[in-house]
Amino acid sequence: MRAPGDKSVSHRALMFGALALGETTVSGLLEGEDVLCTAAALRALGAEVVHEKDGGIWRVRGFGVGGGREPSDVLDLGNSGTAARLLSGILASQPFTSFMTGDASLRSRPMQRVIEPLQRMGARFVACEGGRMPLAIVGTDEMVPIEYRLPVASAQVKSAILLAGLNTAGETTVIEPQATRDHTERMLRHFGAEVRVAPAEGGGKRITVVGWPELLGRNIVVPGDPSSAAFAVVAACIRPGSDVLVENVGLNPLRAGLYTTLKEMGADIVLENARDVGGEPVADLHVKGGGLKGVDVPPERAPSMIDEYPILAVAAACAQGTTRMLGLAELRAKESDRLASVAAGLTANGVRHEMGADNLVVHGTGAPPPGGGLVKTHLDHRIAMSFLVLGLGSRDGVSIDDGSPIDTSFPGFAKVMAELGATIEAP
Ligand code: S3P
């Protein structure tokens, strides 16, 4: 199979194309619902975003840094936290008011983490109880640059501040104690911004963007998404006798923690055809099934595999022995409370485990878990796909209550899995 386009890179390619002058072309874009929400929001701000059906290329004609127009309606960002947080940074630094909302999942997610630094820079926000969406952003083009130490390891918060810093005079700096995915830094540079990265005092990184760059349209090739590839890779790992080649997997070191962990568990994964796609490391993964063992996953690895714990829990359930996953507090702020969703799904399918405030311990027996349960997905695509994969490794199969969230990040998932030999039945 071929991994679908990377969601994080796809959002950024469209957004940065909108902030650039001239034309940006994007190939390999993820055409999932989350990214389509970003495309619609950018159109509402005045960018031309066109999908050329023939070659699958997307073209963006940007409005330039600070050049967006006031949207005439509420921006509906669906299920997408990345769209909501990154666009907050862009909208905060524009001299007009905009409104944002999303689905029930997105409306329950914390926005205070971006509101707080963007308010310090000069924007105003009106949010619902607990800093949630819907929210109003009263932007300004007289932002002041800040130096901000991230209180949570979040690439979305880092990116929101750096994007606001583009339309701010002077230098805006984010200090991240723990490294998070760096697609924003890599791609902003590619568009012509000055982004400096240096070691921070006491550890971590200082990331500085210089305001008012002239960003110019570029050609972007989106690598395959390691977070989506993970479902097929784990499916192959937990079925002894499998032999699967997953092509086009982005392996940015700040995203690839799951693959390190699977190898430590004894997975047979060989990297083939390692190459560079659009400034990101990419390879094909040749996976053979069987032989997984439980391991301890250290908390410092969490930012590099933050979206992969649900599928790792599935691998752990099918492994021999105990897997301990630590430092998972951020999982509670994802599309659902992922720690609780995973634990409930494991319970429903007879997998022994313990859940703590920020950790999960899964006990595998080496035999297929019983399965037979119905899992609530809570509008969370990764819960939906992870537990379908558990179905493959289980004795009696697994059902999920709602498959519709899958389209946010992996349209065609059921078809791809069927081509690999899985049976996914929809009522
Ligand atoms: C993302 C960052 C992560 C990740 C999300 C995508 C991004 O979120 O969970 O799926 O594209 O920047 P946080 O920044 O909240 O950790």
Side-chain angles (χ1 to χ4, degrees), residues 123-357:
R124 287 188 296 128
F125 289 78
V126 183
C128 292
E129 182 76 29
R132 321 256 157 196
M133 305 223 290
L135 58 84
I137 304 176
V138 185
T140 170
D141 56 4
E142 294 180 1
M143 299 283 265
V144 290
I146 58 169
E147 181 171 307
Y148 189 77
R149 194 178 175 84
L150 291 180
V152 281
S154 168
Q156 293 177 355
V157 178
K158 167 176 69 176
S159 302
I161 299 166
L162 295 176
L163 290 174
L166 289 177
N167 199 31
T168 301
E171 299 190 348
T172 297
T173 297
V174 177
I175 298 168
E176 57 172 17
Q178 270 189 295
T180 65
R181 64 192 69 193
D182 60 356
H183 306 301
T184 295
E185 298 90 306
R186 287 176 186 242
M187 206 190 289
L188 276 181
R189 279 202 193 108
H190 183 57
F191 274 91
E194 186 178 342
V195 181
R196 294 196 303 268
V197 181
E201 251 176 64
K205 291 190 210 170
R206 278 179 69 85
I207 302 145
T208 298
V209 67
V210 179
W212 292 336
E214 190 174 76
L215 304 184
L216 293 175
R218 296 283 178 212
N219 301 326
I220 305 284
V221 183
V222 179
D225 197 322
S227 303
S228 299
F231 301 109
V233 170
V234 169
C237 287
I238 64 175
R239 291 282 297 217
S242 297
D243 186 345
V244 171
L245 184 68
V246 186
E247 291 177 346
N248 187 37
V249 183
L251 291 175
N252 179 318
L254 296 169
R255 294 286 301 282
L258 173 75
Y259 299 104
T260 306
T261 304
L262 287 173
K263 282 192 175 167
E264 287 174 2
M265 293 175 84
D268 183 349
I269 303 176
V270 177
L271 265 62
E272 294 176 359
N273 192 16
R275 57 205 186 267
D276 181 284
V277 173
E280 298 272 353
V282 167
D284 302 333
L285 301 185
H286 192 166
V287 191
K288 292 188 180 155
L292 291 187
K293 305 241 176 325
V295 291
D296 287 357
V297 189
E300 59 275 11
R301 195 176 292 162
S304 70
M305 54 177 294
I306 195 64
D307 292 333
E308 280 67 77
Y309 285 98
I311 192 66
L312 177 64
V314 168
C318 299
Q320 165 89 58
T322 296
T323 296
R324 290 181 193 80
M325 303 166 227
L326 307 173
L328 308 187
E330 269 299 297
L331 291 198
R332 299 202 181 267
K334 296 297 174 189
E335 285 82 332
S336 67
D337 174 343
R338 278 193 182 149
L339 257 185
S341 304
V342 168
L346 294 175
T347 301
N349 290 289
V351 178
R352 214 157 63 76
H353 65 281
E354 291 102 39
M355 177 184 69

